[in-house]
């Protein structure tokens, strides 16, 4: 965890993890189904992961293992990875509540402590693919995938980034940032700093192809009618119903 950006984000998550779980626990801890993104779009509707039974799976940026638990309950052998010790500590209560336990590893997604070709599926719902440099993380994910393995990850869409602007105000219907200026972004909220990465669609394709992956799909998430979210400071329901706030990339290792 030597890179400055990783250290900045680690400090942010260590400081905010307890409050993050408190703010969003009512949504994150819905054990009845796997949901993607800020409005928990059901996996049963979009089939981003597909049939995972019997697969060896790595979740990047697993937080308190809520997604990993649900994927394990779908029949997969899941390992959760996160760089925040505070996030990982919250997983113990979820293991006790659900009766489902997965191995947890504390490490950066930019330096995966696994040998080559040991997972059938690597997935992430925000988390590591937003708070690390994808030009490093995506090749690392590809390295640990077996041939025919898949990388599935959800991030803020480049679309929402140009409406978001340079502050924490939720997006409106007005463009506030250059699309071609997307890339590394550093945010300062009082004493809290964080760094996030997002790029134009063409650059994402080049990153994925440069890692030796074949892009199979891009799923633009839309909340189900009447959906609610604890992440309304990110995007309102009305906005997300009209425009793609998040998208899931699906790529395969030949």
């Amino acid at each position: 965890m030597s890179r400055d950006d990783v250290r900045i984000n680690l400090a942010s998550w260590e400081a905010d993890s307890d409050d993050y779980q408190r703010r969003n626990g009512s949504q994150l801890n819905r054990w009845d189904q796997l949901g993607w993104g800020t409005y928990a779009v059901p996996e049963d509707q979009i089939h981003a992961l597909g049939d995972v039974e019997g697969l060896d799976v790595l979740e990047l940026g697993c937080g308190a293992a809520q997604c990993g638990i649900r994927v394990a309950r779908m029949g997969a052998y899941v390992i959760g990875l996160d760089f925040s010790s505070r996030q990982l500590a919250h997983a113990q209560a979820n293991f006790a509540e659900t009766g489902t336990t997965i191995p947890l590893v504390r490490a950066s997604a930019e330096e995966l402590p696994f040998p080559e070709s040991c997972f059938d599926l690597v997935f992430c719902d925000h988390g590591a693919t937003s708070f690390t440099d994808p030009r490093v993380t995506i090749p690392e994910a590809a390295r640990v995938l077996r041939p025919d393995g898949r990388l599935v990850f959800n991030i803020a869409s480049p679309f929402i980034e140009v409406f978001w602007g340079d502050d924490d105000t939720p997006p409106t219907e007005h463009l506030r940032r250059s699309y071609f200026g997307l890339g590394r972004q550093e945010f300062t909220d009082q004493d809290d700093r964080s760094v996030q990465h997002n790029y134009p669609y063409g650059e994402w394709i080049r990153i994925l192809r440069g890692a030796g992956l074949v892009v199979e799909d891009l799923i633009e998430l839309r909340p189900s009618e009447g959906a609610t979210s604890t992440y309304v400071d990110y995007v309102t329901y009305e906005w997300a119903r009209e425009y793609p706030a998040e998208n899931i990339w699906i790529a395969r290792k030949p």
Side-chain angles (χ1 to χ4, degrees):
M1 300 186 189
S2 59
R3 290 184 59 251
D4 286 343
D5 287 359
V6 174
R7 288 201 299 268
I8 289 170
N9 285 332
L10 175 59
S12 176
W13 276 105
E14 295 287 57
D16 187 52
S17 177
D18 293 353
D19 285 341
Y20 175 84
Q21 293 295 331
R22 176 184 52 78
R23 293 192 306 269
N24 301 300
S26 61
Q27 176 166 324
L28 294 171
N29 292 16
R30 296 174 183 170
W31 306 116
D32 56 327
Q33 66 178 3
L34 177 63
W36 288 92
T38 53
Y39 282 87
V41 179
E43 165 68 15
D44 289 346
Q45 291 182 12
I46 61 174
H47 307 291
L49 295 183
D51 184 7
V52 299
E53 187 169 2
L55 299 185
D56 293 317
V57 177
L58 172 64
E59 181 186 5
L60 301 180
C62 69
Q66 287 99 337
C67 287
I69 287 171
R70 289 191 287 262
V71 174
R73 295 172 85 172
M74 293 162 62
Y77 303 101
V78 183
I79 294 177
L81 179 142
D82 203 290
F83 66 178
S84 168
S85 62
R86 289 303 307 156
Q87 283 283 78
L88 293 174
H90 284 280
Q92 299 306 316
N94 296 328
F95 294 158
E97 180 181 350
T98 63
T100 300
T101 302
I102 65 172
L104 299 177
V105 175
R106 188 185 180 205
S108 169
E110 294 189 2
E111 300 175 285
L112 297 178
F114 305 106
E116 294 182 4
S117 304
C118 58
F119 294 102
D120 303 300
L121 172 67
V122 176
F123 83 98
C124 179
D125 190 4
H126 287 282
T129 47
S130 299
F131 291 100
T132 62
D133 187 342
R135 294 166 297 187
V136 179
T137 301
I138 300 302
E140 269 292 273
R143 180 183 66 80
V144 301
L145 280 173
R146 293 174 178 140
D148 207 38
R150 290 175 298 129
L151 171 63
V152 180
F153 64 99
N154 180 38
I155 57 172
S157 71
F159 193 93
I160 196 177
E161 296 285 356
V162 297
F163 284 88
W164 214 344
D166 295 319
D167 55 33
D168 291 331
T169 305
T172 66
E173 295 186 353
H174 301 284
L175 294 170
R176 294 191 285 170
R177 175 183 293 154
S178 166
Y179 177 76
F180 294 108
L182 296 181
R184 178 187 181 276
Q185 304 166 60
E186 185 167 347
F187 299 92
T188 301
D189 180 11
Q190 296 179 352
D191 296 328
D192 183 25
R193 294 173 62 202
S194 66
V195 177
Q196 299 184 37
H197 289 262
N198 208 332
Y199 295 87
Y201 291 103
E203 182 62 19
W204 275 113
I205 291 172
R206 285 185 285 275
I207 289 170
L208 290 161
R209 286 175 57 86
L213 300 171
V214 176
V215 176
E216 292 197 332
D217 203 355
L218 176 66
I219 301 174
E220 294 172 304
L221 293 181
R222 189 186 193 199
S224 304
E225 189 170 350
T228 59
S229 175
T230 59
Y231 294 90
V232 290
D233 57 339
Y234 170 73
V235 66
T236 65
Y237 166 79
E238 292 76 15
W239 199 98
R241 284 284 293 176
E242 294 294 327
Y243 310 104
E246 303 161 284
N247 55 228
I248 299 175
W249 288 97
I250 300 176
R252 187 178 297 273
K253 183 176 181 178

